[in-house]
Amino acid sequence: MPSNNNLKLQDNPYLAHRHPTQRDTGSSRSKSLGVKEPLYGFLPRKVNGDQVRRALEHEINPFTEQPHSAQYKEILDARKKLPVYAQMDDFYKMFTNNQIIVVVGETGSGKTTQIPQFIVYSDLPHTKGKIIACTQLRRVAAVSVAKRVADEMDVELGRHVGYSIRFENMTEPGTTLLQYMTDGMLLSEVMNDPNLERYSAIILDEAHERSLATDILMVLLKASAKKRADLKIIVMSATLDALKFQKYFSVRSNEAVPLFKVHGRTFPIEIFYTQEPEPDYVEAAIRTVLMIHRAEAPGDVLLFLTEEEEIEDVCLKIKLEADDLIDQDPDAVGPLTCIPLYSSLPPQQQQRIFDPAPPPRTKGGPLGRKIVVSTNVAETSLTVDGIVYVVDPGFSKQKVYNPRIRVESQLISPISKASAQQRAGRAGRTGPGKCFRLYTEKDFKNELEEQTHPEILKSNLSTAVLTLVKIGVKDLVRFDWMDAPAPETLMRALELLNYLAALDDEGNLTPLGCIMAEFPLDPQLAKMLIVSPEFKCSNEVLTIAAMLSVPNVWLRPNNQRREADAAKALLTIPDGDHLTMLNVYNEYVNNQHDRNWALTHYLSARALAQADNVRKQLERTMERFEMELVSLSDPVKIYQNVRQALVCGFFMQVAHKEGEKGNYLTVKDNQVVALHPSCGMDTQPEWVIFNEFVLTTRPYIRTVTEVRPEWLLEYAPTYFDLSSFLDGETKRALQRVVNKKAGKSNRDTTKDTRARTRKQKKNK
DNA sequence: CCTGAAAGT
């Protein structure tokens, strides 16, 4: 029976007997009808499971005030089958009685979709003019979960349930009550609203993955919870390290915050270890995959490897060996497809992991098998369905940060126990599975670390530190980190920000630093962009900043390397890779009418489109600070000015050529480096700035541009104060420049004085 | 001399 339709109410025979004054309030009206409004009697945060179950069964959607659709009933029936649905009463008891809760549950338990909805029905954020946020680590997850939950709640996506990710805000202020968002997005909101006043409850999902943004948010939320008794915090994580989160969020020591365990459905996974350590994990991996193909029951295989090249190589080898097997005995094994998976693959090719296994070659013959060979993407961010066998060699490529030389590098290293468990779990998503670990059980127990090091221990923290200083954090070393980064990492970040003049010598934010923090860029890029109007080239520097913030735009397919290199040579500007990037972007824009332009030039259309998006966003931020967008018409002058602006941001990333063997020495850190093979300069200039230092087969500097030493001395006098340099060729070279300049300016001043005297005489 | 793991603002 409808309860909110006035026309129908007047038709109701019972109303005729009521006194007109009784018709004023909605609740008495509904009560007299015997049909309460769906949320009748709900006291925010004191709601129980019975009340919510009744509301869920109600014909009227309490948020849209429209009748529920037929589809709603269907979805609700499916939700009722989730184990977490049966735990509603317990959840509400805990939610009512606690400000902070830790929720654990395995993937597939429904915690990401159900818990936020439970909270909506109890918290009723709209009655306080607030909303509920649920963070996600990835953009795609935020979008897809929001879509699902909007369907479950029978609302239009972007109205009562929405999402907010970079470049895309699918919410409606005043209507949205549940907002999924990336953790980075919430962190950027913190800058202008340190206590997150617009939220009544914040749910941090996948906290166990310990992303940089989540780690920083945890510290800030813990502090906000003390200041704001009305703020509820729910930290959701995988089971393994729940206690660590419970302890961290306890206000009083020794009293952990309560834990809510979401039941899930998991299938058993049998784990096998090797008897002896494997000397060559790649060879062992190929052998194991073929063993599975020959001897195991039908079911797809997921093999974890470390990097693109290795994956492509192994795919070829597996395919060859499988063909050999078939040649030897066509009836023994079925056909096999090998599918590579890594993030830089175009989405269309990533979709191949969802293709079914190949059919048997002959009717009734041995079944086909699909082998997915993947980097860590398949461990957390991409789920391949129908995997029965996992092959885990126990390695992944991981970031390592060395604060001494300010270098982040990628190293192939052993994974953690938590990661091994996660990998094994990928075999049991649709039924019982098997996991083959290519290391011994003893090594698993004794050699692998419990947890993967959180990002905050492996990253350069300059952007994070700038954000924290901006929101007023004073003492970063004694900041309440869950895992404190090395003090040296923090010192390096503070030092960089000080040299860039974002912080003064006391560590206070300068007006420049305040603007830098508002740009979604590394501090060096932000600085270079902010000074660029002074060099009359903000238009160009804006493009370079955008291009440096997106993945590599150059494609170099294994079998077309020569063609790709030739295409690149046509776009190369010999003065420097930064200028080449500028040129590539401009050509991309000039050729936007040609759909195949990127492809025929061996460029990633996806990365270029992303650069375009970033550029637009940065342009809006520039407008906010009334920064001019300017260009010079003289192409020679413009390239020179762009390089000068680059120096203003990247003067700490300079290398000086030593000798004739192509060796460079980084300034001050004195690391011996070489120009990366991708570098497009046709000479080896004496002084270069570089965008990044990478450690692969040897130390390289990548994305390099020639600069003049005079600019270093002029635009970064504090950093290039010669008394702070160790003796060496770099210092001597700079000294020569200083001397020359001094001599020249002495002559200049004398000349000037003479000229002026002449002029003065003339004027007389 | 010889080339990028994943994600995010």
Short mmCIF file of all heavy atoms in Angstrom, two decimals, chain A residues 662-690:
data_model
loop_
_atom_site.label_atom_id
_atom_site.label_comp_id
_atom_site.label_asym_id
_atom_site.label_seq_id
_atom_site.Cartn_x
_atom_site.Cartn_y
_atom_site.Cartn_z
N GLY A 662 81.21 8.62 -21.91
CA GLY A 662 79.77 8.67 -21.75
C GLY A 662 79.32 8.54 -20.31
O GLY A 662 78.16 8.31 -20.03
N ASN A 663 80.28 8.69 -19.40
CA ASN A 663 79.91 8.64 -17.99
C ASN A 663 79.51 10.02 -17.49
O ASN A 663 80.13 11.03 -17.83
CB ASN A 663 81.09 8.16 -17.14
CG ASN A 663 81.21 6.66 -17.18
OD1 ASN A 663 80.25 5.96 -17.50
ND2 ASN A 663 82.40 6.17 -16.85
N TYR A 664 78.49 10.02 -16.66
CA TYR A 664 78.08 11.25 -16.01
C TYR A 664 78.14 11.03 -14.51
O TYR A 664 78.03 9.88 -14.04
CB TYR A 664 76.65 11.61 -16.40
CG TYR A 664 76.54 12.26 -17.77
CD1 TYR A 664 76.63 11.50 -18.93
CD2 TYR A 664 76.35 13.64 -17.87
CE1 TYR A 664 76.53 12.10 -20.17
CE2 TYR A 664 76.25 14.24 -19.12
CZ TYR A 664 76.34 13.48 -20.27
OH TYR A 664 76.23 14.08 -21.49
N LEU A 665 78.33 12.13 -13.79
CA LEU A 665 78.33 12.07 -12.34
C LEU A 665 77.19 12.96 -11.86
O LEU A 665 77.11 14.13 -12.26
CB LEU A 665 79.68 12.60 -11.83
CG LEU A 665 80.26 12.01 -10.56
CD1 LEU A 665 80.39 10.51 -10.66
CD2 LEU A 665 81.61 12.65 -10.28
N THR A 666 76.30 12.42 -11.03
CA THR A 666 75.22 13.28 -10.55
C THR A 666 75.81 14.29 -9.57
O THR A 666 76.70 13.97 -8.79
CB THR A 666 74.10 12.47 -9.85
OG1 THR A 666 74.65 11.77 -8.74
CG2 THR A 666 73.47 11.46 -10.81
N VAL A 667 75.28 15.50 -9.67
CA VAL A 667 75.81 16.59 -8.85
C VAL A 667 75.51 16.31 -7.38
O VAL A 667 74.41 15.91 -7.02
CB VAL A 667 75.21 17.93 -9.32
CG1 VAL A 667 75.43 19.02 -8.29
CG2 VAL A 667 75.85 18.33 -10.64
N LYS A 668 76.49 16.50 -6.54
CA LYS A 668 76.45 16.32 -5.08
C LYS A 668 76.36 14.86 -4.63
O LYS A 668 77.07 14.47 -3.72
CB LYS A 668 75.32 17.14 -4.44
CG LYS A 668 75.64 18.63 -4.44
CD LYS A 668 74.87 19.38 -3.37
CE LYS A 668 75.22 20.87 -3.47
NZ LYS A 668 74.49 21.67 -2.49
N ASP A 669 75.44 14.06 -5.23
CA ASP A 669 75.37 12.66 -4.79
C ASP A 669 76.50 11.84 -5.39
O ASP A 669 76.80 10.74 -4.92
CB ASP A 669 74.03 12.04 -5.20
CG ASP A 669 72.87 12.73 -4.53
OD1 ASP A 669 73.03 13.14 -3.36
OD2 ASP A 669 71.81 12.86 -5.16
N ASN A 670 77.13 12.36 -6.46
CA ASN A 670 78.28 11.72 -7.09
C ASN A 670 78.05 10.26 -7.48
O ASN A 670 78.88 9.40 -7.21
CB ASN A 670 79.51 11.83 -6.18
CG ASN A 670 79.93 13.28 -6.01
OD1 ASN A 670 80.04 14.01 -6.99
ND2 ASN A 670 80.09 13.70 -4.77
N GLN A 671 76.90 10.00 -8.08
CA GLN A 671 76.64 8.67 -8.61
C GLN A 671 77.09 8.62 -10.06
O GLN A 671 76.80 9.55 -10.82
CB GLN A 671 75.14 8.36 -8.55
CG GLN A 671 74.58 8.30 -7.15
CD GLN A 671 75.10 7.10 -6.40
OE1 GLN A 671 74.96 5.98 -6.85
NE2 GLN A 671 75.73 7.34 -5.26
N VAL A 672 77.79 7.55 -10.43
CA VAL A 672 78.18 7.40 -11.83
C VAL A 672 76.97 6.87 -12.59
O VAL A 672 76.41 5.83 -12.23
CB VAL A 672 79.36 6.41 -11.97
CG1 VAL A 672 79.75 6.28 -13.44
CG2 VAL A 672 80.54 6.89 -11.15
N VAL A 673 76.55 7.59 -13.61
CA VAL A 673 75.37 7.18 -14.37
C VAL A 673 75.66 7.31 -15.87
O VAL A 673 76.64 7.94 -16.27
CB VAL A 673 74.14 8.05 -14.02
CG1 VAL A 673 73.72 7.85 -12.57
CG2 VAL A 673 74.40 9.53 -14.28
N ALA A 674 74.80 6.72 -16.67
CA ALA A 674 74.89 6.88 -18.12
C ALA A 674 73.55 7.37 -18.64
O ALA A 674 72.53 7.20 -17.97
CB ALA A 674 75.24 5.53 -18.76
N LEU A 675 73.57 7.98 -19.81
CA LEU A 675 72.30 8.36 -20.43
C LEU A 675 71.56 7.08 -20.80
O LEU A 675 72.15 6.14 -21.35
CB LEU A 675 72.55 9.19 -21.70
CG LEU A 675 73.34 10.49 -21.51
CD1 LEU A 675 73.43 11.22 -22.86
CD2 LEU A 675 72.70 11.38 -20.47
N HIS A 676 70.27 7.06 -20.51
CA HIS A 676 69.44 5.89 -20.81
C HIS A 676 69.38 5.69 -22.33
O HIS A 676 69.35 6.67 -23.08
CB HIS A 676 68.04 6.14 -20.25
CG HIS A 676 67.20 4.91 -20.21
ND1 HIS A 676 66.46 4.50 -21.29
CD2 HIS A 676 66.98 4.02 -19.23
CE1 HIS A 676 65.81 3.40 -20.97
NE2 HIS A 676 66.11 3.09 -19.72
N PRO A 677 69.37 4.44 -22.80
CA PRO A 677 69.33 4.20 -24.25
C PRO A 677 68.14 4.87 -24.95
O PRO A 677 68.18 5.11 -26.16
CB PRO A 677 69.20 2.68 -24.35
CG PRO A 677 69.70 2.16 -23.07
CD PRO A 677 69.48 3.20 -22.03
N SER A 678 67.09 5.19 -24.19
CA SER A 678 65.94 5.83 -24.82
C SER A 678 66.18 7.32 -25.06
O SER A 678 65.34 7.99 -25.67
CB SER A 678 64.71 5.66 -23.93
OG SER A 678 64.90 6.36 -22.71
N CYS A 679 67.30 7.82 -24.56
CA CYS A 679 67.57 9.26 -24.65
C CYS A 679 67.79 9.68 -26.10
O CYS A 679 68.51 9.02 -26.86
CB CYS A 679 68.80 9.57 -23.81
SG CYS A 679 69.31 11.26 -23.90
N GLY A 680 67.17 10.77 -26.51
CA GLY A 680 67.17 11.14 -27.91
C GLY A 680 68.19 12.18 -28.33
O GLY A 680 68.19 12.61 -29.48
N MET A 681 69.06 12.59 -27.42
CA MET A 681 70.03 13.62 -27.79
C MET A 681 71.12 13.04 -28.67
O MET A 681 71.58 11.92 -28.44
CB MET A 681 70.63 14.23 -26.53
CG MET A 681 69.65 15.14 -25.81
SD MET A 681 70.38 15.96 -24.41
CE MET A 681 70.89 14.58 -23.45
N ASP A 682 71.57 13.85 -29.68
CA ASP A 682 72.58 13.30 -30.59
C ASP A 682 74.00 13.56 -30.09
O ASP A 682 74.96 13.07 -30.64
CB ASP A 682 72.37 13.81 -32.02
CG ASP A 682 72.16 15.31 -32.07
OD1 ASP A 682 72.36 15.97 -31.03
OD2 ASP A 682 71.81 15.81 -33.15
N THR A 683 74.14 14.38 -29.06
CA THR A 683 75.47 14.59 -28.48
C THR A 683 75.40 14.25 -27.01
O THR A 683 74.34 13.94 -26.48
CB THR A 683 75.89 16.06 -28.61
OG1 THR A 683 74.91 16.85 -27.93
CG2 THR A 683 75.99 16.49 -30.06
N GLN A 684 76.55 14.32 -26.35
CA GLN A 684 76.56 14.15 -24.90
C GLN A 684 76.98 15.46 -24.28
O GLN A 684 78.17 15.73 -24.09
CB GLN A 684 77.51 13.02 -24.53
CG GLN A 684 76.99 11.68 -24.98
CD GLN A 684 77.92 10.56 -24.61
OE1 GLN A 684 79.12 10.74 -24.43
NE2 GLN A 684 77.37 9.37 -24.50
N PRO A 685 76.01 16.31 -23.97
CA PRO A 685 76.34 17.63 -23.47
C PRO A 685 77.02 17.56 -22.10
O PRO A 685 76.87 16.57 -21.38
CB PRO A 685 74.99 18.33 -23.35
CG PRO A 685 73.95 17.31 -23.59
CD PRO A 685 74.56 16.06 -24.05
N GLU A 686 77.74 18.62 -21.76
CA GLU A 686 78.50 18.60 -20.51
C GLU A 686 77.57 18.61 -19.29
O GLU A 686 77.80 17.92 -18.32
CB GLU A 686 79.44 19.81 -20.47
CG GLU A 686 80.36 19.76 -19.26
CD GLU A 686 81.33 20.93 -19.18
OE1 GLU A 686 81.33 21.77 -20.11
OE2 GLU A 686 82.06 20.99 -18.18
N TRP A 687 76.49 19.40 -19.37
CA TRP A 687 75.56 19.49 -18.24
C TRP A 687 74.16 19.07 -18.67
O TRP A 687 73.67 19.53 -19.69
CB TRP A 687 75.50 20.93 -17.71
CG TRP A 687 76.79 21.42 -17.15
CD1 TRP A 687 77.75 22.11 -17.83
CD2 TRP A 687 77.25 21.27 -15.81
NE1 TRP A 687 78.80 22.40 -16.99
CE2 TRP A 687 78.52 21.89 -15.74
CE3 TRP A 687 76.73 20.67 -14.65
CZ2 TRP A 687 79.26 21.92 -14.57
CZ3 TRP A 687 77.47 20.72 -13.49
CH2 TRP A 687 78.73 21.33 -13.44
N VAL A 688 73.54 18.22 -17.90
CA VAL A 688 72.16 17.82 -18.21
C VAL A 688 71.32 17.81 -16.93
O VAL A 688 71.85 17.62 -15.83
CB VAL A 688 72.08 16.41 -18.84
CG1 VAL A 688 72.73 16.37 -20.21
CG2 VAL A 688 72.69 15.36 -17.92
N ILE A 689 70.00 18.04 -17.09
CA ILE A 689 69.08 17.72 -16.00
C ILE A 689 68.34 16.45 -16.41
O ILE A 689 68.16 16.18 -17.60
CB ILE A 689 68.07 18.83 -15.69
CG1 ILE A 689 67.32 19.23 -16.94
CG2 ILE A 689 68.73 20.02 -15.05
CD1 ILE A 689 66.05 19.92 -16.60
N PHE A 690 67.93 15.69 -15.41
CA PHE A 690 67.23 14.44 -15.72
C PHE A 690 65.96 14.34 -14.90
O PHE A 690 65.88 14.86 -13.79
CB PHE A 690 68.14 13.23 -15.50
CG PHE A 690 68.72 13.13 -14.11
CD1 PHE A 690 68.05 12.41 -13.12
CD2 PHE A 690 69.94 13.72 -13.80
CE1 PHE A 690 68.59 12.30 -11.83
CE2 PHE A 690 70.48 13.61 -12.52
CZ PHE A 690 69.81 12.91 -11.54
#
